[in-house]
Amino acid sequence: MDLSKLPRLSSSARPPAGDPNAATAPADDGPAPEVPPPRYRVDRDVAAAPGDFLDVLLAVGVGLLFMFMGQGYGRHLLGRTDVYPPITGTGFVWSAPHPKAGQPIAPEELSPENKATYDAQVTGRRMGIVSESSLFLSGVGL
């Protein structure tokens, strides 16, 4: 790539090749541009603006609210096993004329419509756990 073909980004003149002092001499571009005065006083000695306290108070309040709403997941993280007990059956039982009458039906033995109902229950439980975890972790972040 040929760098000489790129457009110039500055209007300063190139120093002559034979003059070694020209590289260190500052270029005289004329008078310095005027800097506008600040729109507010900078020399005030303020530790914290009143809005800062309210921002922190609001963030802590919303964070505690979210942690309260997702407290089941927080208890789960602390090792409580009773918060989300394991799924131990489908909720369906064999009817009377079947040889296994009165025994619970395993998930792989369910009919297609009952299998869809069972899968929807399992998915709903997982989404509930994910929902609680997102609330709790958002509260921790706040």
Side-chain angles (χ1 to χ4, degrees), residues 76-89:
H76 171 71
L77 288 179
L78 293 175
R80 301 263 313 257
T81 57
D82 61 339
V83 179
Y84 304 122
I87 298 174
T88 58

Side-chain angles (χ1 to χ4, degrees), residues 41-68:
R41 291 180 51 112
V42 182
D43 58 351
R44 290 189 307 166
D45 187 22
V46 177
D52 294 343
F53 174 73
L54 293 176
D55 289 343
V56 170
L57 185 67
L58 182 66
V60 168
V62 171
L64 289 174
L65 175 68
F66 282 2
M67 286 176 66
F68 176 72

Side-chain angles (χ1 to χ4, degrees), residues 3-108:
L3 296 178
S4 64
K5 303 242 191 276
L6 293 175
R8 294 189 56 136
L9 298 176
S10 68
S11 62
S12 60
R14 205 177 258 180
D19 190 8
N21 293 333
T24 59
D28 185 21
D29 292 338
E34 289 190 31
V35 177
R39 294 195 290 163
Y40 55 89
R41 291 180 51 112
V42 182
D43 58 351
R44 290 189 307 166
D45 187 22
V46 177
D52 294 343
F53 174 73
L54 293 176
D55 289 343
V56 170
L57 185 67
L58 182 66
V60 168
V62 171
L64 289 174
L65 175 68
F66 282 2
M67 286 176 66
F68 176 72
M69 289 170 41
Q71 68 181 334
Y73 187 73
R75 289 192 312 241
H76 171 71
L77 288 179
L78 293 175
R80 301 263 313 257
T81 57
D82 61 339
V83 179
Y84 304 122
I87 298 174
T88 58
T90 59
F92 297 102
V93 180
W94 290 106
S95 59
H98 198 275
K100 296 182 182 179
Q103 295 179 359
I105 301 175
E108 57 273 357

